[in-house]
Amino acid sequence: MLLNDVRRLASYLVFIKNYIMKLNEKKVAILATNGFEQSELFEPLKALKNEGATVDIVSLEKGEIKGWTDVNWGKSIAVDKTLGEVSVSDYNALMLPGGVINPDILRTNTKAIDLVKSFVENKKPVAAICHAPWLLASADVLKDREITSYNSIKDDMINAGAVWKDQSVVCDQGLVTSRNPNDLPDFNSKFIEEICEGQH
């Protein structure tokens, strides 16, 4: 009798856990390559997984990509899928970590830009932090959109047609942007909220 009670309780706890997790059955792609700002990948990754999301690290090649922290190379993370293996229909949302090196490499890659553009055109949530809005500018999706970014690329954003704001997080119809790692709590919270809402 006691064993059955324990099994019932375990089953109930799994049900409750699944019920309170906001992103169960949601899939999110994090597009990155070498030189991503370490905290801007790992902290959103943790926040998304804590809410039950399935998250794929998408990059240019298989293997691992290495982060950047302060003035040195940081932790590495395994790549789950290459750009050639994914499409917008595979995911509910896209996240773009910053760092200077990472988005500067990705914005010269046609497949990366096409993927970013397809998420925006399909009105699926996209989150970009720090220098990652460079990818949005290269994808030509910023016309009249309210965003923020790292301060040093503010002019790039305005020249791409964006309405730039100096706020910890700016959201415009599913497009979530933040300025730097200090904004990560607001960034993560808003991105999760937008994924819950779905297509905009």
PDB file of all heavy atoms in Angstrom, residues 155-186:
ATOM      1  N   ASP A 155      24.422  54.010 -32.946  1.00  0.00           N
ATOM      2  CA  ASP A 155      24.316  54.658 -34.257  1.00  0.00           C
ATOM      3  C   ASP A 155      24.029  53.647 -35.361  1.00  0.00           C
ATOM      4  O   ASP A 155      23.275  53.941 -36.298  1.00  0.00           O
ATOM      5  CB  ASP A 155      25.591  55.443 -34.582  1.00  0.00           C
ATOM      6  CG  ASP A 155      25.737  56.694 -33.724  1.00  0.00           C
ATOM      7  OD1 ASP A 155      24.748  57.098 -33.076  1.00  0.00           O
ATOM      8  OD2 ASP A 155      26.846  57.264 -33.698  1.00  0.00           O
ATOM      9  N   ASP A 156      24.635  52.458 -35.252  1.00  0.00           N
ATOM     10  CA  ASP A 156      24.361  51.398 -36.237  1.00  0.00           C
ATOM     11  C   ASP A 156      22.880  51.040 -36.238  1.00  0.00           C
ATOM     12  O   ASP A 156      22.286  50.802 -37.300  1.00  0.00           O
ATOM     13  CB  ASP A 156      25.187  50.146 -35.933  1.00  0.00           C
ATOM     14  CG  ASP A 156      26.677  50.376 -36.051  1.00  0.00           C
ATOM     15  OD1 ASP A 156      27.081  51.362 -36.694  1.00  0.00           O
ATOM     16  OD2 ASP A 156      27.452  49.566 -35.504  1.00  0.00           O
ATOM     17  N   MET A 157      22.296  50.985 -35.062  1.00  0.00           N
ATOM     18  CA  MET A 157      20.879  50.619 -34.939  1.00  0.00           C
ATOM     19  C   MET A 157      19.988  51.713 -35.534  1.00  0.00           C
ATOM     20  O   MET A 157      19.039  51.426 -36.264  1.00  0.00           O
ATOM     21  CB  MET A 157      20.513  50.380 -33.473  1.00  0.00           C
ATOM     22  CG  MET A 157      21.301  49.264 -32.783  1.00  0.00           C
ATOM     23  SD  MET A 157      21.121  47.661 -33.593  1.00  0.00           S
ATOM     24  CE  MET A 157      22.668  47.552 -34.514  1.00  0.00           C
ATOM     25  N   ILE A 158      20.316  52.957 -35.219  1.00  0.00           N
ATOM     26  CA  ILE A 158      19.533  54.085 -35.750  1.00  0.00           C
ATOM     27  C   ILE A 158      19.660  54.147 -37.267  1.00  0.00           C
ATOM     28  O   ILE A 158      18.675  54.353 -37.989  1.00  0.00           O
ATOM     29  CB  ILE A 158      19.991  55.402 -35.098  1.00  0.00           C
ATOM     30  CG1 ILE A 158      19.608  55.395 -33.606  1.00  0.00           C
ATOM     31  CG2 ILE A 158      19.370  56.606 -35.801  1.00  0.00           C
ATOM     32  CD1 ILE A 158      20.215  56.512 -32.797  1.00  0.00           C
ATOM     33  N   ASN A 159      20.878  53.918 -37.777  1.00  0.00           N
ATOM     34  CA  ASN A 159      21.096  53.913 -39.231  1.00  0.00           C
ATOM     35  C   ASN A 159      20.357  52.769 -39.922  1.00  0.00           C
ATOM     36  O   ASN A 159      20.037  52.864 -41.111  1.00  0.00           O
ATOM     37  CB  ASN A 159      22.585  53.834 -39.547  1.00  0.00           C
ATOM     38  CG  ASN A 159      23.318  55.118 -39.182  1.00  0.00           C
ATOM     39  OD1 ASN A 159      22.719  56.185 -39.113  1.00  0.00           O
ATOM     40  ND2 ASN A 159      24.617  55.003 -38.938  1.00  0.00           N
ATOM     41  N   ALA A 160      20.065  51.704 -39.159  1.00  0.00           N
ATOM     42  CA  ALA A 160      19.307  50.577 -39.718  1.00  0.00           C
ATOM     43  C   ALA A 160      17.802  50.815 -39.631  1.00  0.00           C
ATOM     44  O   ALA A 160      17.008  49.953 -40.023  1.00  0.00           O
ATOM     45  CB  ALA A 160      19.673  49.287 -38.985  1.00  0.00           C
ATOM     46  N   GLY A 161      17.413  51.978 -39.100  1.00  0.00           N
ATOM     47  CA  GLY A 161      15.996  52.331 -39.064  1.00  0.00           C
ATOM     48  C   GLY A 161      15.311  52.133 -37.729  1.00  0.00           C
ATOM     49  O   GLY A 161      14.110  52.369 -37.602  1.00  0.00           O
ATOM     50  N   ALA A 162      16.060  51.701 -36.713  1.00  0.00           N
ATOM     51  CA  ALA A 162      15.453  51.423 -35.413  1.00  0.00           C
ATOM     52  C   ALA A 162      15.212  52.699 -34.621  1.00  0.00           C
ATOM     53  O   ALA A 162      15.861  53.719 -34.837  1.00  0.00           O
ATOM     54  CB  ALA A 162      16.352  50.491 -34.612  1.00  0.00           C
ATOM     55  N   VAL A 163      14.275  52.595 -33.686  1.00  0.00           N
ATOM     56  CA  VAL A 163      14.052  53.648 -32.693  1.00  0.00           C
ATOM     57  C   VAL A 163      14.749  53.165 -31.427  1.00  0.00           C
ATOM     58  O   VAL A 163      14.274  52.258 -30.745  1.00  0.00           O
ATOM     59  CB  VAL A 163      12.543  53.866 -32.437  1.00  0.00           C
ATOM     60  CG1 VAL A 163      12.331  54.924 -31.365  1.00  0.00           C
ATOM     61  CG2 VAL A 163      11.830  54.229 -33.736  1.00  0.00           C
ATOM     62  N   TRP A 164      15.927  53.760 -31.127  1.00  0.00           N
ATOM     63  CA  TRP A 164      16.790  53.253 -30.055  1.00  0.00           C
ATOM     64  C   TRP A 164      16.412  53.864 -28.717  1.00  0.00           C
ATOM     65  O   TRP A 164      16.180  55.066 -28.614  1.00  0.00           O
ATOM     66  CB  TRP A 164      18.242  53.564 -30.377  1.00  0.00           C
ATOM     67  CG  TRP A 164      19.236  52.829 -29.530  1.00  0.00           C
ATOM     68  CD1 TRP A 164      19.782  51.606 -29.780  1.00  0.00           C
ATOM     69  CD2 TRP A 164      19.818  53.269 -28.297  1.00  0.00           C
ATOM     70  NE1 TRP A 164      20.657  51.252 -28.788  1.00  0.00           N
ATOM     71  CE2 TRP A 164      20.694  52.266 -27.861  1.00  0.00           C
ATOM     72  CE3 TRP A 164      19.668  54.419 -27.515  1.00  0.00           C
ATOM     73  CZ2 TRP A 164      21.437  52.363 -26.684  1.00  0.00           C
ATOM     74  CZ3 TRP A 164      20.394  54.522 -26.333  1.00  0.00           C
ATOM     75  CH2 TRP A 164      21.274  53.503 -25.934  1.00  0.00           C
ATOM     76  N   LYS A 165      16.374  53.002 -27.674  1.00  0.00           N
ATOM     77  CA  LYS A 165      16.032  53.464 -26.327  1.00  0.00           C
ATOM     78  C   LYS A 165      17.074  52.964 -25.335  1.00  0.00           C
ATOM     79  O   LYS A 165      17.573  51.843 -25.464  1.00  0.00           O
ATOM     80  CB  LYS A 165      14.650  52.957 -25.916  1.00  0.00           C
ATOM     81  CG  LYS A 165      13.554  53.442 -26.836  1.00  0.00           C
ATOM     82  CD  LYS A 165      12.182  53.156 -26.273  1.00  0.00           C
ATOM     83  CE  LYS A 165      11.150  53.915 -27.082  1.00  0.00           C
ATOM     84  NZ  LYS A 165       9.980  54.276 -26.339  1.00  0.00           N
ATOM     85  N   ASP A 166      17.372  53.780 -24.345  1.00  0.00           N
ATOM     86  CA  ASP A 166      18.333  53.411 -23.316  1.00  0.00           C
ATOM     87  C   ASP A 166      17.580  52.839 -22.115  1.00  0.00           C
ATOM     88  O   ASP A 166      17.335  53.519 -21.128  1.00  0.00           O
ATOM     89  CB  ASP A 166      19.154  54.650 -22.908  1.00  0.00           C
ATOM     90  CG  ASP A 166      20.289  54.302 -21.961  1.00  0.00           C
ATOM     91  OD1 ASP A 166      20.582  53.093 -21.799  1.00  0.00           O
ATOM     92  OD2 ASP A 166      20.879  55.230 -21.378  1.00  0.00           O
ATOM     93  N   GLN A 167      17.211  51.564 -22.230  1.00  0.00           N
ATOM     94  CA  GLN A 167      16.454  50.868 -21.180  1.00  0.00           C
ATOM     95  C   GLN A 167      17.022  49.469 -20.991  1.00  0.00           C
ATOM     96  O   GLN A 167      17.634  48.915 -21.904  1.00  0.00           O
ATOM     97  CB  GLN A 167      14.980  50.765 -21.567  1.00  0.00           C
ATOM     98  CG  GLN A 167      14.273  52.095 -21.697  1.00  0.00           C
ATOM     99  CD  GLN A 167      12.860  51.962 -22.237  1.00  0.00           C
ATOM    100  OE1 GLN A 167      12.348  50.860 -22.423  1.00  0.00           O
ATOM    101  NE2 GLN A 167      12.224  53.090 -22.508  1.00  0.00           N
ATOM    102  N   SER A 168      16.779  48.891 -19.838  1.00  0.00           N
ATOM    103  CA  SER A 168      17.322  47.554 -19.555  1.00  0.00           C
ATOM    104  C   SER A 168      16.752  46.499 -20.497  1.00  0.00           C
ATOM    105  O   SER A 168      17.444  45.554 -20.873  1.00  0.00           O
ATOM    106  CB  SER A 168      17.061  47.158 -18.108  1.00  0.00           C
ATOM    107  OG  SER A 168      15.670  47.028 -17.866  1.00  0.00           O
ATOM    108  N   VAL A 169      15.502  46.657 -20.863  1.00  0.00           N
ATOM    109  CA  VAL A 169      14.897  45.759 -21.842  1.00  0.00           C
ATOM    110  C   VAL A 169      13.852  46.534 -22.632  1.00  0.00           C
ATOM    111  O   VAL A 169      13.124  47.356 -22.071  1.00  0.00           O
ATOM    112  CB  VAL A 169      14.279  44.497 -21.178  1.00  0.00           C
ATOM    113  CG1 VAL A 169      13.121  44.841 -20.262  1.00  0.00           C
ATOM    114  CG2 VAL A 169      13.852  43.479 -22.225  1.00  0.00           C
ATOM    115  N   VAL A 170      13.834  46.305 -23.933  1.00  0.00           N
ATOM    116  CA  VAL A 170      12.834  46.914 -24.808  1.00  0.00           C
ATOM    117  C   VAL A 170      12.175  45.784 -25.584  1.00  0.00           C
ATOM    118  O   VAL A 170      12.855  44.897 -26.110  1.00  0.00           O
ATOM    119  CB  VAL A 170      13.470  47.928 -25.786  1.00  0.00           C
ATOM    120  CG1 VAL A 170      12.425  48.459 -26.767  1.00  0.00           C
ATOM    121  CG2 VAL A 170      14.124  49.073 -25.025  1.00  0.00           C
ATOM    122  N   CYS A 171      10.839  45.807 -25.642  1.00  0.00           N
ATOM    123  CA  CYS A 171      10.111  44.770 -26.382  1.00  0.00           C
ATOM    124  C   CYS A 171       9.177  45.431 -27.388  1.00  0.00           C
ATOM    125  O   CYS A 171       8.405  46.324 -27.038  1.00  0.00           O
ATOM    126  CB  CYS A 171       9.320  43.897 -25.414  1.00  0.00           C
ATOM    127  SG  CYS A 171       8.489  42.529 -26.242  1.00  0.00           S
ATOM    128  N   ASP A 172       9.279  44.999 -28.627  1.00  0.00           N
ATOM    129  CA  ASP A 172       8.432  45.519 -29.697  1.00  0.00           C
ATOM    130  C   ASP A 172       7.879  44.336 -30.482  1.00  0.00           C
ATOM    131  O   ASP A 172       8.566  43.731 -31.297  1.00  0.00           O
ATOM    132  CB  ASP A 172       9.249  46.435 -30.616  1.00  0.00           C
ATOM    133  CG  ASP A 172       8.416  47.112 -31.695  1.00  0.00           C
ATOM    134  OD1 ASP A 172       7.385  46.545 -32.106  1.00  0.00           O
ATOM    135  OD2 ASP A 172       8.800  48.200 -32.149  1.00  0.00           O
ATOM    136  N   GLN A 173       6.641  43.961 -30.170  1.00  0.00           N
ATOM    137  CA  GLN A 173       5.951  42.874 -30.872  1.00  0.00           C
ATOM    138  C   GLN A 173       6.803  41.607 -30.970  1.00  0.00           C
ATOM    139  O   GLN A 173       7.021  41.063 -32.052  1.00  0.00           O
ATOM    140  CB  GLN A 173       5.529  43.341 -32.260  1.00  0.00           C
ATOM    141  CG  GLN A 173       4.540  44.477 -32.222  1.00  0.00           C
ATOM    142  CD  GLN A 173       4.134  44.953 -33.598  1.00  0.00           C
ATOM    143  OE1 GLN A 173       4.418  44.304 -34.597  1.00  0.00           O
ATOM    144  NE2 GLN A 173       3.472  46.088 -33.654  1.00  0.00           N
ATOM    145  N   GLY A 174       7.290  41.145 -29.828  1.00  0.00           N
ATOM    146  CA  GLY A 174       8.043  39.893 -29.781  1.00  0.00           C
ATOM    147  C   GLY A 174       9.532  40.034 -29.990  1.00  0.00           C
ATOM    148  O   GLY A 174      10.263  39.060 -29.840  1.00  0.00           O
ATOM    149  N   LEU A 175       9.992  41.229 -30.333  1.00  0.00           N
ATOM    150  CA  LEU A 175      11.428  41.479 -30.486  1.00  0.00           C
ATOM    151  C   LEU A 175      11.947  42.053 -29.173  1.00  0.00           C
ATOM    152  O   LEU A 175      11.619  43.179 -28.796  1.00  0.00           O
ATOM    153  CB  LEU A 175      11.676  42.449 -31.634  1.00  0.00           C
ATOM    154  CG  LEU A 175      13.136  42.770 -31.962  1.00  0.00           C
ATOM    155  CD1 LEU A 175      13.904  41.518 -32.339  1.00  0.00           C
ATOM    156  CD2 LEU A 175      13.217  43.808 -33.071  1.00  0.00           C
ATOM    157  N   VAL A 176      12.755  41.268 -28.456  1.00  0.00           N
ATOM    158  CA  VAL A 176      13.247  41.619 -27.128  1.00  0.00           C
ATOM    159  C   VAL A 176      14.735  41.956 -27.219  1.00  0.00           C
ATOM    160  O   VAL A 176      15.521  41.164 -27.729  1.00  0.00           O
ATOM    161  CB  VAL A 176      13.056  40.455 -26.136  1.00  0.00           C
ATOM    162  CG1 VAL A 176      13.585  40.822 -24.753  1.00  0.00           C
ATOM    163  CG2 VAL A 176      11.584  40.052 -26.059  1.00  0.00           C
ATOM    164  N   THR A 177      15.109  43.138 -26.725  1.00  0.00           N
ATOM    165  CA  THR A 177      16.516  43.537 -26.767  1.00  0.00           C
ATOM    166  C   THR A 177      16.941  44.119 -25.423  1.00  0.00           C
ATOM    167  O   THR A 177      16.134  44.704 -24.692  1.00  0.00           O
ATOM    168  CB  THR A 177      16.772  44.585 -27.873  1.00  0.00           C
ATOM    169  OG1 THR A 177      15.825  45.659 -27.750  1.00  0.00           O
ATOM    170  CG2 THR A 177      16.657  43.964 -29.264  1.00  0.00           C
ATOM    171  N   SER A 178      18.232  43.943 -25.111  1.00  0.00           N
ATOM    172  CA  SER A 178      18.821  44.516 -23.904  1.00  0.00           C
ATOM    173  C   SER A 178      20.226  45.001 -24.204  1.00  0.00           C
ATOM    174  O   SER A 178      20.805  44.676 -25.242  1.00  0.00           O
ATOM    175  CB  SER A 178      18.839  43.493 -22.760  1.00  0.00           C
ATOM    176  OG  SER A 178      17.544  43.332 -22.207  1.00  0.00           O
ATOM    177  N   ARG A 179      20.792  45.772 -23.246  1.00  0.00           N
ATOM    178  CA  ARG A 179      22.036  46.492 -23.501  1.00  0.00           C
ATOM    179  C   ARG A 179      23.302  45.720 -23.168  1.00  0.00           C
ATOM    180  O   ARG A 179      24.290  45.797 -23.898  1.00  0.00           O
ATOM    181  CB  ARG A 179      22.039  47.798 -22.692  1.00  0.00           C
ATOM    182  CG  ARG A 179      20.877  48.721 -22.985  1.00  0.00           C
ATOM    183  CD  ARG A 179      20.755  49.815 -21.951  1.00  0.00           C
ATOM    184  NE  ARG A 179      20.557  49.249 -20.610  1.00  0.00           N
ATOM    185  CZ  ARG A 179      20.280  49.955 -19.537  1.00  0.00           C
ATOM    186  NH1 ARG A 179      20.177  51.273 -19.618  1.00  0.00           N
ATOM    187  NH2 ARG A 179      20.106  49.370 -18.359  1.00  0.00           N
ATOM    188  N   ASN A 180      23.310  44.989 -22.050  1.00  0.00           N
ATOM    189  CA  ASN A 180      24.554  44.378 -21.567  1.00  0.00           C
ATOM    190  C   ASN A 180      24.236  43.318 -20.516  1.00  0.00           C
ATOM    191  O   ASN A 180      23.070  43.148 -20.138  1.00  0.00           O
ATOM    192  CB  ASN A 180      25.485  45.466 -20.999  1.00  0.00           C
ATOM    193  CG  ASN A 180      24.831  46.268 -19.902  1.00  0.00           C
ATOM    194  OD1 ASN A 180      24.363  45.725 -18.904  1.00  0.00           O
ATOM    195  ND2 ASN A 180      24.762  47.590 -20.086  1.00  0.00           N
ATOM    196  N   PRO A 181      25.250  42.602 -20.000  1.00  0.00           N
ATOM    197  CA  PRO A 181      24.980  41.533 -19.035  1.00  0.00           C
ATOM    198  C   PRO A 181      24.237  41.972 -17.778  1.00  0.00           C
ATOM    199  O   PRO A 181      23.536  41.161 -17.161  1.00  0.00           O
ATOM    200  CB  PRO A 181      26.382  41.014 -18.691  1.00  0.00           C
ATOM    201  CG  PRO A 181      27.196  41.293 -19.903  1.00  0.00           C
ATOM    202  CD  PRO A 181      26.670  42.610 -20.413  1.00  0.00           C
ATOM    203  N   ASN A 182      24.377  43.234 -17.375  1.00  0.00           N
ATOM    204  CA  ASN A 182      23.651  43.705 -16.193  1.00  0.00           C
ATOM    205  C   ASN A 182      22.133  43.643 -16.377  1.00  0.00           C
ATOM    206  O   ASN A 182      21.382  43.633 -15.401  1.00  0.00           O
ATOM    207  CB  ASN A 182      24.044  45.146 -15.855  1.00  0.00           C
ATOM    208  CG  ASN A 182      25.491  45.265 -15.429  1.00  0.00           C
ATOM    209  OD1 ASN A 182      26.047  44.333 -14.852  1.00  0.00           O
ATOM    210  ND2 ASN A 182      26.106  46.403 -15.707  1.00  0.00           N
ATOM    211  N   ASP A 183      21.698  43.632 -17.629  1.00  0.00           N
ATOM    212  CA  ASP A 183      20.263  43.614 -17.935  1.00  0.00           C
ATOM    213  C   ASP A 183      19.683  42.197 -18.030  1.00  0.00           C
ATOM    214  O   ASP A 183      18.489  42.046 -18.301  1.00  0.00           O
ATOM    215  CB  ASP A 183      20.002  44.322 -19.276  1.00  0.00           C
ATOM    216  CG  ASP A 183      20.400  45.785 -19.252  1.00  0.00           C
ATOM    217  OD1 ASP A 183      20.419  46.379 -18.162  1.00  0.00           O
ATOM    218  OD2 ASP A 183      20.686  46.330 -20.338  1.00  0.00           O
ATOM    219  N   LEU A 184      20.509  41.182 -17.813  1.00  0.00           N
ATOM    220  CA  LEU A 184      20.059  39.803 -18.049  1.00  0.00           C
ATOM    221  C   LEU A 184      18.805  39.391 -17.272  1.00  0.00           C
ATOM    222  O   LEU A 184      17.944  38.714 -17.846  1.00  0.00           O
ATOM    223  CB  LEU A 184      21.196  38.809 -17.784  1.00  0.00           C
ATOM    224  CG  LEU A 184      22.183  38.662 -18.950  1.00  0.00           C
ATOM    225  CD1 LEU A 184      23.463  37.971 -18.488  1.00  0.00           C
ATOM    226  CD2 LEU A 184      21.546  37.882 -20.105  1.00  0.00           C
ATOM    227  N   PRO A 185      18.639  39.773 -16.010  1.00  0.00           N
ATOM    228  CA  PRO A 185      17.385  39.374 -15.327  1.00  0.00           C
ATOM    229  C   PRO A 185      16.134  39.883 -16.042  1.00  0.00           C
ATOM    230  O   PRO A 185      15.182  39.120 -16.256  1.00  0.00           O
ATOM    231  CB  PRO A 185      17.539  39.993 -13.933  1.00  0.00           C
ATOM    232  CG  PRO A 185      19.019  40.055 -13.718  1.00  0.00           C
ATOM    233  CD  PRO A 185      19.592  40.393 -15.072  1.00  0.00           C
ATOM    234  N   ASP A 186      16.147  41.155 -16.450  1.00  0.00           N
ATOM    235  CA  ASP A 186      14.994  41.717 -17.173  1.00  0.00           C
ATOM    236  C   ASP A 186      14.857  41.074 -18.553  1.00  0.00           C
ATOM    237  O   ASP A 186      13.739  40.794 -19.018  1.00  0.00           O
ATOM    238  CB  ASP A 186      15.147  43.228 -17.337  1.00  0.00           C
ATOM    239  CG  ASP A 186      15.021  43.973 -16.018  1.00  0.00           C
ATOM    240  OD1 ASP A 186      14.498  43.384 -15.051  1.00  0.00           O
ATOM    241  OD2 ASP A 186      15.451  45.139 -15.956  1.00  0.00           O
TER     242      ASP A 186
END
